[in-house]
Amino acid sequence: VTASSGSDVTVKLHTTGEAVTVPSDGVSTMHQSSMDGVPDMALLTDLHEGSILLNLHKRAQAKEVYTFVGTILTAVNPYQVFDGLYGDEVARRYANKIIGELPPHIYSIANEAFMAMWDKGRNQSILIAGESGAGKSESTKHVLNFLSAVSSGSNSTVQAQIISSSPILEAFGNAKTVYNNNSSRFGKYITV
């Protein structure tokens, strides 16, 4: 905020440096730590819509597509492939690690469910939600690939069948939309 006049304030936009006058009730102050960006939004000093969106924006600009909110993972679909973000080697790095020990990643969540399944001896669930084109199907594939990579002593034929079945499952009920070429018309429940 650079100036205040009655019920309006003039603010300097963080992204462009442009000065804009807006109603003061639409402006929230932020501590510098909230402006810098963090890998876990539970650590934001100021937690409101503006700080969340700024944090996700800053991380996406830095090609950090995953961000934690405690033990919840948010993902920003970059609509591009980043080399070295996925694969068996990356999966093995995340295996047996506690959430927060490594940077936020879909493998952190898959590992947490995998470890809890073994520790508690009970089934685990991972909820993947988002709008059309958000990357739900891709995230599901990454979870399955992680489980395949870290499952010791598993039958590789079974692993290949699980991963290759995803496109077949997606073919049922999908339709082209303005957002996505294969938009799903149903939820998926996969038991592994």
Side-chain angles (χ1 to χ4, degrees):
V1 175
T2 58
S4 178
S5 172
S7 62
D8 292 337
V9 293
T10 302
V11 296
K12 181 179 173 186
L13 297 181
H14 180 70
T15 53
T16 64
E18 178 186 1
V20 179
T21 301
V22 295
S24 60
D25 61 353
V27 176
S28 299
T29 59
M30 282 198 287
H31 188 272
Q32 185 60 43
S33 62
S34 294
M35 302 279 292
D36 295 336
V38 293
D40 186 344
M41 290 192 286
L43 302 174
L44 287 172
T45 306
D46 303 295
L47 190 58
H48 51 73
E49 183 179 4
S51 63
I52 291 169
L53 292 174
L54 178 63
N55 192 64
L56 292 174
H57 176 74
K58 281 181 161 281
R59 291 187 56 74
Q61 282 185 320
K63 296 186 179 182
E64 297 286 344
V65 297
Y66 295 112
T67 306
F68 285 127
V69 183
T71 57
I72 297 169
L73 184 72
T74 61
V76 176
N77 189 343
Y79 297 102
Q80 60 182 304
V81 177
F82 295 135
D83 292 332
L85 190 56
Y86 305 105
D88 289 353
E89 182 182 318
V90 179
R92 283 190 287 279
R93 237 186 342 207
Y94 277 83
N96 301 312
K97 299 288 192 232
I98 297 168
I99 283 185
E101 197 170 328
L102 293 173
H105 199 286
I106 188 74
Y107 292 165
S108 296
I109 300 300
N111 180 64
E112 189 72 12
F114 185 72
M115 288 176 49
M117 180 183 68
W118 286 111
D119 291 345
K120 297 177 181 178
R122 295 176 38 199
N123 293 339
Q124 301 296 307
S125 297
I126 298 174
L127 176 64
I128 300 173
E131 294 181 349
S132 177
K136 298 177 298 295
S137 294
E138 288 301 313
S139 292
T140 301
K141 289 177 200 173
H142 293 310
V143 168
L144 291 174
N145 283 327
F146 175 85
L147 296 174
S148 174
V150 300
S151 298
S152 60
S154 294
N155 184 333
S156 61
T157 304
V158 173
Q159 293 170 352
Q161 287 174 339
I162 290 169
I163 292 167
S164 67
S165 70
S166 189
I168 296 167
L169 292 172
E170 289 174 18
F172 296 100
N174 285 354
K176 185 174 181 178
T177 69
V178 294
Y179 298 111
N180 194 348
N181 226 9
N182 68 338
S183 183
S184 178
R185 295 285 167 253
F186 59 92
K188 284 185 256 184
Y189 180 79
I190 299 173
T191 302
V192 180

